[in-house]
Amino acid sequence: MTKRLTEDAHGVYIISATPFTDAGELDLSSADRLVDFYLEKGITGMTVLGMMGEAPKLAPDESVTFLKHMLKRVAGQIPVIVGVSSPGLDNMARLCRSSMEAGAAGVMIAPAAGLTTEDRLLTYFIQVFERLGPDIPVCYQDFPMTTGVHISAKLFNQMVRDFPQLVMLKHEDWPGLNKLTAVRNLESDTSTRRVSILTGNGGLFLPMELERGADGAMTGFAYPEMLIKVVELYRIGDRQAANDIFDAYLPLVRHEQQLGAGLAIRKEILRRRGVITSAATRAPGPKLSKADHDDISFLTSRLEKRLEEIGHGS
Amino acid sequence: MTKRLTEDAHGVYIISATPFTDAGELDLSSADRLVDFYLEKGITGMTVLGMMGEAPKLAPDESVTFLKHMLKRVAGQIPVIVGVSSPGLDNMARLCRSSMEAGAAGVMIAPAAGLTTEDRLLTYFIQVFERLGPDIPVCYQDFPMTTGVHISAKLFNQMVRDFPQLVMLKHEDWPGLNKLTAVRNLESDTSTRRVSILTGNGGLFLPMELERGADGAMTGFAYPEMLIKVVELYRIGDRQAANDIFDAYLPLVRHEQQLGAGLAIRKEILRRRGVITSAATRAPGPKLSKADHDDISFLTSRLEKRLEEIGHGS
Amino acid sequence: MTKRLTEDAHGVYIISATPFTDAGELDLSSADRLVDFYLEKGITGMTVLGMMGEAPKLAPDESVTFLKHMLKRVAGQIPVIVGVSSPGLDNMARLCRSSMEAGAAGVMIAPAAGLTTEDRLLTYFIQVFERLGPDIPVCYQDFPMTTGVHISAKLFNQMVRDFPQLVMLKHEDWPGLNKLTAVRNLESDTSTRRVSILTGNGGLFLPMELERGADGAMTGFAYPEMLIKVVELYRIGDRQAANDIFDAYLPLVRHEQQLGAGLAIRKEILRRRGVITSAATRAPGPKLSKADHDDISFLTSRLEKRLEEIGHGS
Amino acid sequence: MTKRLTEDAHGVYIISATPFTDAGELDLSSADRLVDFYLEKGITGMTVLGMMGEAPKLAPDESVTFLKHMLKRVAGQIPVIVGVSSPGLDNMARLCRSSMEAGAAGVMIAPAAGLTTEDRLLTYFIQVFERLGPDIPVCYQDFPMTTGVHISAKLFNQMVRDFPQLVMLKHEDWPGLNKLTAVRNLESDTSTRRVSILTGNGGLFLPMELERGADGAMTGFAYPEMLIKVVELYRIGDRQAANDIFDAYLPLVRHEQQLGAGLAIRKEILRRRGVITSAATRAPGPKLSKADHDDISFLTSRLEKRLEEIGHGS
């Protein structure tokens, strides 16, 4: 049986792409290769059906097919989180049940759009936690650039105290370094349970976030080996080495992090690395131009050269 | 066989509520009564699965169940439009097919969020029309307050010229009177096909919109008889009488038109009128407080009194 | 010496337009007539340099010229509030000083854009109150549709407890009835000082807001006599009579309340009533089309007829 | 006499900070040192009173004092652009006149908030260009993340054809690489005058933007020498060398580019480099925490080490 997600989660929870064929169908054999690739690189966990996983563009039966397929391939080797955000609680609860029955370790939830004040936001999560029950571990996805919903460190802290099943923060506010610090400080100041904090934003601020108290990354950068190495080196206290590796990849991290366009770039790199068969995204989605392809070629070839220089060449 | 939606559509296309039981399940017997109520009042058409129909909170199979049920009850007496907006074109196309197969007259589509420039918006609709094919009549839902996407009269005019299947504008920009005028003027100036324009915003500006060239209303006001009477009186040129009726209802129109909260008010009035069994909305949704109930009682009792005064009492 | 604004403020604080000549210059003789018109109708207070007063389009010296001129004409007969919102605290403090020196009763402040969480919002107002000092009475302008900043009843309540100089809420959230109720309930529940609540939104929900505990209106509707009468009738408990008057004006209230366009309509009506010489607004601002003028004529002539009917004709 | 801004502008137009004393007063002696520092590094041009220059927080007389002081110190050695964006055209025209009289080469204008459709945006700029007259060179600031206003390549192209005084695009859309390409392609396809394109976003995508047809940078990165070197190396075709330099600075570029917080970081680095006396920003503005200071120290010390490695140490 799969271990439930807990507050001590750390490392790299990769956000899995959802591979399609050129015709736009789910490509489950690419999905298998993707799982194998991620596991081989050494990820600690995985998140499926995130925003970057094109979840809102899947039919509901496709979502369930995909998550079951991924969970089966993972076969309990690592914990898997399923993104279940939805405009309605009924649909959320339904996907949540399917996920946990299929062996998920927990679910990730971003607040619905339009929760403009903190009391509305709290009321929403009271409803959510009531609906899902006390047994399902939850990761709060804090991604205001996309949801338009903002949470203060103070309110997050209160929710941690009120809901024991809230075990993780996916930190993706931007700029967000001082908020991360504020969350950690409030935990100390109020003797609140310390939750796991994994950070997103494509990894753009990963080393600084680890310095501020993050436990790892949850993002879909196409070179998970970098994320893993950086988190490991921070864990053993080798900050300079961690940043040396990080900086080598930074031009690509920065390039992939472009909101919207980044997903197509990420899939194309995974395709070039031989992991997935097609880089197709579902419409309406970003498409790569000739110039976009040239940018990727330029940046990946510079990456290889730089990795050689710092002794990390393949 | 159902008549397809065409440019000469006019009158009142009521936006149907989606009735639930107190437990939150689809209430199909209330749905039947709702259809009968709308037909008896004399609506010209109906729209199901609109934003006010809580469409994003239905499970996909519920959406199909509901639209089939409604279409069956309507039994071809009036044209029915189905709201098929979706973040992904695959899901949109799927719901579109189900709708047309079940006898819908056409579909209503609001642009996906994030279409920030007019070329992106046009590109999106090129993709949409390509996917749906030339045979499905489309109503463009222009509701920027909710979608965040704005269209100029000029671009709408261009789309009308480029896509023969675009036959209707649901006008719900706000303030929008001059845009409506601009759309009509551009049609003349460019000898473009005249499309049907039905207006939303809960009917708040209906008489002025009719004066500016709208062909009717598409909204879910709980007293469809008012919308119908106002549109009829404008059609025969009795502007003063139309406004007399409209003004009697205006306090309630204004009250129901509150974004978000309005849906709960609308369902509660339909419940009080004996049409649906429960006023329940799906979570997360607006709930009525004691004071909200009192407001409704006050306004509806004043409405009855006023209708007596102007000789429209029951 | 002018009385300072206090928590017991009530009645109608009219938001004054800023009259310009057709050439766009400040029109101080129209300003005089405007003051006289407002005073004659019986307003309780006045607000100048609000958003509807085109304050951001005045040069700073024009702002000071205008507010001094208005204060001089008012001559202490009623309290005057000055809108001093600004992106920077230095400019805010400067305008605040000029206002109080010229005899203002207090200032109105809307939060700066971008205050996305409640702790940021609170931090901002701590800075504001520190800068302005304890002696200047402040009205909090809660107008999220324009500022993008939302405040919960709970945070507002906390600010009332922390800052004795916060004496008034200009309530302009929308939909906002239940928030108004929540503010009043929290005052009771937490034994907090009861502040004055005046409501905006062009008066669209005025009777219901008075029922919920508002003390009056702060808006710029071109017929202040209606606002005054409605507030008075509510004060003496004649709810039906209040609503009879209100409903007669509602078609125009609804028309004037259109965000953006409403300002031009309001100025045009004031011009037609002989109060100001020109309806000009400063660029970029709304302009009235032929159809817009016809709408105004139609609605004002219906208003006159309706006022006759209910015995309030001139 | 100062040369007017023209379409062949290129290189680095640094966006100047506005230095304050710790007490928040304009610090004109720091301003002098800032000018000298920028000139010594070899900038091609300068922009004052940009958004990053805290322009909206200056009193109007401070704005004029500052721009005159800067122009005097620059003494015609390089062209200076003044940011004149304003909610009202009168204030914009006034600042514009002061700027040109004081010797500015041109002005930069971002569209006012709320221009939601392309016809409104075009109407706005028709008004702006009419007000400013044909003789003042204009740079269009395309910064939707802050203004909320989006322009398509097509509309920008049309404006270039309609308004000869529009000579520059400050490109700051994000993600924006394909838009930049689209602007250049449209120029060719429609035989339109080629305007200067300088890019912002703190330089985060500078090399790729130069590859796509940008002529240089307009941003305030605290190491202008990097921007200058990168643009020069691209100009002579040494793309790899350009990227080597750029990548060395990228960790800091990425850090400084954080919206809001970045301004405080930038000023602090300028202070540490001995250019300005105080890193103070005007309230409400970002403040640096202890952890923020540590981040800067860490990143600048790594930068120095890396510059040594690639032979660019001081």
Side-chain angles (χ1 to χ4, degrees):
Chain A
M1 204 203 114
T2 316
K3 198 176 152 290
R4 293 291 163 109
L5 194 68
T6 58
E7 292 86 349
D8 56 10
H10 61 271
V12 176
Y13 279 61
I14 200 79
I15 298 205
S16 173
T18 302
F20 300 111
T21 64
D22 284 337
E25 298 300 310
L26 275 182
D27 177 357
L28 296 178
S29 79
S30 282
D32 285 340
R33 289 202 307 279
L34 195 56
V35 169
D36 298 349
F37 166 80
Y38 288 145
L39 288 172
E40 186 184 292
K41 294 296 178 191
I43 55 165
T44 328
M46 185 187 290
T47 302
V48 299
L49 301 181
M51 293 178 191
M52 274 307 202
E54 302 177 72
K57 295 180 185 171
L58 298 183
D61 56 317
E62 288 177 323
S63 299
V64 174
T65 299
F66 182 70
L67 77 88
K68 283 187 176 164
H69 190 90
M70 295 295 275
L71 280 161
K72 196 169 164 210
R73 187 77 175 190
V74 166
Q77 299 175 70
I78 50 163
V80 175
I81 298 174
V82 181
V84 298
S85 306
S86 177
L89 295 196
D90 291 311
N91 286 341
M92 180 191 290
R94 194 173 293 119
L95 182 55
C96 196
R97 267 195 307 277
S98 306
S99 302
M100 298 309 289
E101 283 167 17
V107 298
M108 181 163 74
I109 299 173
L115 297 165
T116 47
T117 55
E118 300 215 331
D119 51 5
R120 281 190 206 167
L121 182 50
L122 180 57
T123 300
Y124 177 76
F125 272 95
I126 290 173
Q127 286 181 295
V128 165
F129 284 120
E130 201 172 275
R131 184 68 68 94
L132 302 191
D135 295 331
I136 298 176
V138 169
C139 167
Y140 183 102
Q141 184 176 18
D142 185 23
F143 194 15
M145 203 178 294
T146 293
T147 60
V149 179
H150 299 262
I151 188 169
S152 65
K154 197 175 156 205
L155 178 57
F156 180 73
N157 183 262
Q158 180 184 336
M159 282 174 49
V160 170
R161 277 181 281 123
D162 291 353
F163 304 108
Q165 67 268 53
L166 177 55
V167 295
M168 183 183 278
L169 172 63
K170 180 177 182 195
H171 174 74
E172 203 152 12
D173 200 349
W174 197 51
L177 293 173
N178 286 319
K179 182 162 164 183
L180 207 166
T181 298
V183 170
R184 285 297 182 225
N185 287 347
L186 264 177
E187 283 176 347
S188 302
D189 296 353
T190 61
S191 304
T192 303
R193 194 163 46 94
R194 185 190 190 281
V195 295
S196 171
I197 302 181
L198 303 183
T199 64
N201 282 317
L204 194 62
F205 300 97
L206 181 56
M208 284 175 283
E209 289 162 341
L210 292 168
E211 195 68 27
R212 302 280 187 127
D215 300 302
M218 188 195 290
T219 186
F221 185 52
Y223 297 83
E225 57 267 44
M226 180 279 277
L227 304 171
I228 292 162
K229 198 76 191 157
V230 167
V231 174
E232 276 173 10
L233 286 166
Y234 257 91
R235 190 158 271 247
I236 62 171
D238 196 346
R239 193 180 180 189
Q240 294 294 346
N243 279 274
D244 288 345
I245 303 272
F246 179 80
D247 289 353
Y249 286 90
L250 182 51
L252 259 169
V253 167
R254 176 265 340 238
H255 192 60
E256 234 193 71
Q257 199 272 335
Q258 297 176 78
L259 205 68
L263 170 65
I265 297 169
R266 182 170 292 174
K267 282 191 147 182
E268 172 62 11
I269 295 177
L270 288 171
R271 191 197 64 76
R272 292 187 183 193
R273 298 191 80 184
V275 184
I276 61 179
T277 301
S278 164
T281 61
R282 282 213 167 158
K287 304 280 172 252
L288 300 180
S289 64
K290 170 75 172 59
D292 291 331
H293 278 283
D294 292 348
D295 283 343
I296 295 172
S297 302
F298 181 76
L299 291 169
T300 50
S301 96
R302 280 185 59 85
L303 170 64
E304 280 162 34
K305 188 168 138 268
R306 181 70 188 136
L307 289 178
E308 294 286 349
E309 280 172 27
I310 62 170
H312 280 77
S314 50
Chain B
M1 204 204 113
T2 315
K3 196 177 153 292
R4 292 292 162 110
L5 194 68
T6 59
E7 292 86 351
D8 56 11
H10 60 272
V12 175
Y13 279 60
I14 200 78
I15 298 205
S16 173
T18 302
F20 299 111
T21 64
D22 284 337
E25 299 300 310
L26 275 182
D27 176 357
L28 296 178
S29 79
S30 282
D32 284 340
R33 290 202 305 280
L34 195 56
V35 170
D36 299 347
F37 166 79
Y38 289 145
L39 288 172
E40 185 185 293
K41 294 297 177 190
I43 55 165
T44 328
M46 184 188 292
T47 302
V48 299
L49 301 182
M51 294 178 190
M52 274 308 202
E54 302 177 71
K57 295 181 185 171
L58 298 183
D61 57 317
E62 287 177 324
S63 299
V64 174
T65 299
F66 182 69
L67 77 88
K68 284 187 176 163
H69 190 90
M70 296 295 275
L71 281 161
K72 197 169 164 209
R73 187 77 176 191
V74 166
Q77 298 176 68
I78 50 164
V80 176
I81 298 175
V82 180
V84 298
S85 306
S86 176
L89 296 196
D90 292 311
N91 287 340
M92 180 192 291
R94 193 173 294 118
L95 182 55
C96 196
R97 267 195 308 276
S98 305
S99 304
M100 299 309 288
E101 283 167 17
V107 298
M108 180 164 73
I109 299 173
L115 297 165
T116 47
T117 56
E118 301 215 330
D119 51 5
R120 282 191 204 166
L121 182 51
L122 181 56
T123 301
Y124 177 76
F125 272 95
I126 290 173
Q127 286 182 294
V128 165
F129 284 120
E130 202 173 274
R131 184 67 69 94
L132 302 191
D135 295 332
I136 299 176
V138 169
C139 167
Y140 182 101
Q141 184 177 18
D142 185 24
F143 195 14
M145 203 177 293
T146 293
T147 62
V149 179
H150 300 262
I151 189 169
S152 63
K154 198 175 156 205
L155 178 57
F156 180 73
N157 184 262
Q158 181 184 336
M159 283 174 48
V160 171
R161 278 181 281 123
D162 291 353
F163 305 107
Q165 67 268 54
L166 177 55
V167 296
M168 183 184 278
L169 173 63
K170 179 176 183 197
H171 174 75
E172 203 152 11
D173 200 349
W174 198 50
L177 293 172
N178 286 320
K179 183 162 165 183
L180 208 165
T181 297
V183 170
R184 285 296 182 227
N185 287 347
L186 263 177
E187 283 176 348
S188 303
D189 296 352
T190 60
S191 304
T192 303
R193 193 162 48 94
R194 186 190 190 281
V195 295
S196 172
I197 301 182
L198 303 184
T199 64
N201 282 319
L204 195 62
F205 301 97
L206 181 57
M208 284 174 283
E209 288 162 341
L210 293 167
E211 195 68 27
R212 303 280 187 127
D215 300 302
M218 188 195 289
T219 187
F221 185 53
Y223 296 83
E225 58 267 43
M226 180 278 277
L227 304 171
I228 292 163
K229 197 78 191 153
V230 167
V231 174
E232 276 173 10
L233 287 166
Y234 257 90
R235 191 158 270 247
I236 62 172
D238 196 345
R239 192 180 180 189
Q240 294 293 347
N243 278 275
D244 288 345
I245 304 271
F246 179 80
D247 289 354
Y249 286 89
L250 182 52
L252 258 170
V253 167
R254 175 265 340 239
H255 193 60
E256 235 193 70
Q257 199 272 335
Q258 297 177 77
L259 204 67
L263 170 65
I265 297 169
R266 182 170 293 174
K267 282 192 147 181
E268 171 61 12
I269 295 177
L270 288 171
R271 191 196 64 76
R272 292 187 183 192
R273 297 190 81 184
V275 185
I276 60 178
T277 302
S278 164
T281 61
R282 282 213 168 159
K287 305 278 171 255
L288 299 180
S289 64
K290 170 76 171 59
D292 291 330
H293 278 284
D294 291 347
D295 284 342
I296 295 172
S297 302
F298 181 76
L299 291 169
T300 51
S301 96
R302 280 185 58 85
L303 171 64
E304 279 161 36
K305 187 169 138 268
R306 181 70 187 136
L307 289 177
E308 295 286 348
E309 280 172 26
I310 63 171
H312 279 76
S314 48
Chain C
M1 203 203 114
T2 316
K3 197 177 153 289
R4 293 291 164 109
L5 193 68
T6 58
E7 291 87 350
D8 55 10
H10 60 272
V12 175
Y13 278 61
I14 200 77
I15 298 205
S16 173
T18 302
F20 299 111
T21 64
D22 283 338
E25 299 300 309
L26 274 182
D27 177 357
L28 295 178
S29 79
S30 282
D32 285 341
R33 290 201 306 280
L34 196 55
V35 170
D36 299 348
F37 166 81
Y38 288 145
L39 288 172
E40 187 184 293
K41 294 296 176 190
I43 55 165
T44 327
M46 185 187 291
T47 303
V48 299
L49 300 182
M51 293 178 191
M52 273 309 200
E54 302 177 72
K57 295 180 185 171
L58 298 182
D61 56 319
E62 288 177 324
S63 298
V64 175
T65 299
F66 182 71
L67 77 88
K68 284 187 176 163
H69 190 90
M70 296 295 275
L71 281 162
K72 196 169 165 210
R73 187 77 176 191
V74 166
Q77 299 175 68
I78 51 162
V80 175
I81 298 175
V82 181
V84 298
S85 306
S86 177
L89 296 194
D90 291 311
N91 286 341
M92 179 191 291
R94 194 173 293 119
L95 182 55
C96 195
R97 267 194 308 276
S98 306
S99 303
M100 299 309 289
E101 283 166 18
V107 298
M108 180 164 73
I109 300 172
L115 297 166
T116 46
T117 56
E118 301 215 329
D119 50 6
R120 282 192 204 166
L121 182 51
L122 180 56
T123 301
Y124 177 77
F125 272 94
I126 289 172
Q127 286 182 295
V128 165
F129 285 121
E130 202 173 273
R131 183 68 68 96
L132 302 191
D135 295 332
I136 298 176
V138 169
C139 167
Y140 182 102
Q141 184 176 18
D142 186 23
F143 195 13
M145 204 178 293
T146 293
T147 61
V149 179
H150 299 263
I151 189 169
S152 64
K154 198 176 156 204
L155 179 57
F156 180 73
N157 183 262
Q158 181 184 336
M159 283 175 49
V160 170
R161 278 180 281 124
D162 292 353
F163 304 107
Q165 67 267 54
L166 177 55
V167 296
M168 183 184 279
L169 171 64
K170 179 175 183 197
H171 174 73
E172 203 152 11
D173 200 349
W174 198 50
L177 293 172
N178 286 319
K179 183 163 164 182
L180 208 165
T181 298
V183 170
R184 285 298 182 225
N185 287 346
L186 263 177
E187 283 176 348
S188 303
D189 296 353
T190 61
S191 303
T192 302
R193 193 165 46 95
R194 186 189 190 282
V195 295
S196 172
I197 301 182
L198 303 183
T199 65
N201 282 318
L204 195 61
F205 301 97
L206 180 56
M208 284 175 283
E209 289 162 341
L210 293 167
E211 195 68 28
R212 302 279 187 129
D215 300 302
M218 187 195 288
T219 187
F221 185 53
Y223 296 83
E225 57 266 44
M226 179 279 278
L227 304 172
I228 292 162
K229 198 77 192 155
V230 167
V231 174
E232 276 173 9
L233 286 167
Y234 257 91
R235 190 158 271 247
I236 62 171
D238 196 345
R239 192 180 180 189
Q240 294 294 346
N243 278 275
D244 288 345
I245 304 273
F246 178 81
D247 289 353
Y249 286 89
L250 182 52
L252 259 169
V253 167
R254 175 267 338 239
H255 192 60
E256 235 192 70
Q257 199 271 335
Q258 297 176 78
L259 204 66
L263 170 65
I265 297 168
R266 182 171 293 175
K267 282 191 147 181
E268 171 62 12
I269 295 177
L270 289 170
R271 191 197 64 77
R272 293 187 183 193
R273 299 191 81 184
V275 185
I276 60 178
T277 302
S278 164
T281 62
R282 282 214 167 158
K287 305 278 171 253
L288 299 180
S289 64
K290 169 76 171 61
D292 291 331
H293 278 283
D294 292 347
D295 283 342
I296 295 172
S297 302
F298 180 77
L299 291 169
T300 51
S301 97
R302 281 186 59 85
L303 170 64
E304 281 161 35
K305 187 168 138 269
R306 181 71 188 135
L307 289 177
E308 295 285 349
E309 280 173 25
I310 63 170
H312 279 76
S314 50
Chain D
M1 203 203 114
T2 315
K3 197 177 153 291
R4 293 292 164 109
L5 193 69
T6 58
E7 292 86 349
D8 55 11
H10 61 271
V12 175
Y13 278 61
I14 200 77
I15 299 205
S16 173
T18 302
F20 299 111
T21 64
D22 283 338
E25 299 300 310
L26 274 182
D27 177 357
L28 295 178
S29 79
S30 282
D32 285 340
R33 290 202 306 279
L34 195 57
V35 170
D36 299 348
F37 166 80
Y38 288 146
L39 288 172
E40 187 184 293
K41 294 295 178 191
I43 55 164
T44 327
M46 185 187 291
T47 303
V48 299
L49 301 181
M51 293 177 190
M52 273 310 201
E54 301 176 72
K57 295 180 186 171
L58 298 182
D61 57 318
E62 287 177 324
S63 299
V64 175
T65 299
F66 182 70
L67 77 87
K68 284 187 177 164
H69 190 89
M70 295 295 275
L71 280 161
K72 196 171 164 208
R73 187 78 176 190
V74 165
Q77 299 175 67
I78 50 163
V80 175
I81 299 174
V82 181
V84 298
S85 307
S86 177
L89 295 195
D90 291 310
N91 287 340
M92 180 191 291
R94 193 173 294 119
L95 181 55
C96 196
R97 267 195 307 278
S98 306
S99 303
M100 299 309 289
E101 283 167 17
V107 298
M108 181 164 73
I109 300 173
L115 298 165
T116 47
T117 57
E118 301 216 329
D119 51 5
R120 282 191 205 166
L121 182 51
L122 180 57
T123 300
Y124 177 76
F125 272 95
I126 289 173
Q127 286 181 295
V128 165
F129 285 120
E130 202 172 273
R131 184 68 67 95
L132 302 191
D135 295 331
I136 298 176
V138 169
C139 167
Y140 183 102
Q141 184 176 19
D142 185 24
F143 194 14
M145 203 178 293
T146 293
T147 61
V149 179
H150 299 262
I151 187 169
S152 65
K154 198 176 156 204
L155 178 57
F156 180 74
N157 184 262
Q158 181 185 335
M159 283 174 49
V160 170
R161 278 181 280 123
D162 292 353
F163 305 107
Q165 66 268 53
L166 177 55
V167 296
M168 183 183 279
L169 172 63
K170 179 176 184 196
H171 174 74
E172 203 152 11
D173 200 349
W174 197 50
L177 294 172
N178 287 319
K179 183 162 164 183
L180 207 165
T181 298
V183 170
R184 285 297 181 225
N185 287 347
L186 263 177
E187 283 177 347
S188 303
D189 296 352
T190 61
S191 304
T192 303
R193 194 164 45 95
R194 185 191 190 280
V195 296
S196 172
I197 302 182
L198 302 183
T199 64
N201 282 318
L204 195 62
F205 301 97
L206 181 57
M208 284 175 284
E209 289 162 341
L210 293 168
E211 194 69 27
R212 302 280 187 129
D215 300 301
M218 186 194 289
T219 187
F221 185 53
Y223 297 83
E225 57 266 44
M226 180 279 277
L227 304 171
I228 292 162
K229 198 78 192 154
V230 167
V231 174
E232 276 173 10
L233 286 167
Y234 257 90
R235 190 158 272 247
I236 62 172
D238 196 346
R239 192 180 180 190
Q240 294 295 345
N243 278 276
D244 287 345
I245 304 272
F246 179 80
D247 289 354
Y249 286 89
L250 182 52
L252 259 169
V253 168
R254 176 263 340 236
H255 192 60
E256 236 192 69
Q257 199 272 334
Q258 297 176 77
L259 205 67
L263 170 65
I265 297 169
R266 182 170 292 174
K267 282 191 147 182
E268 171 62 12
I269 295 177
L270 288 170
R271 192 196 63 76
R272 292 187 183 193
R273 298 191 81 184
V275 185
I276 61 178
T277 302
S278 163
T281 61
R282 282 212 167 160
K287 304 278 172 254
L288 299 181
S289 64
K290 170 75 172 59
D292 291 331
H293 278 283
D294 292 347
D295 283 342
I296 295 172
S297 303
F298 181 76
L299 291 169
T300 50
S301 98
R302 279 185 59 85
L303 171 63
E304 280 162 34
K305 187 168 139 268
R306 181 70 188 136
L307 288 178
E308 294 285 350
E309 280 173 25
I310 63 169
H312 279 76
S314 51

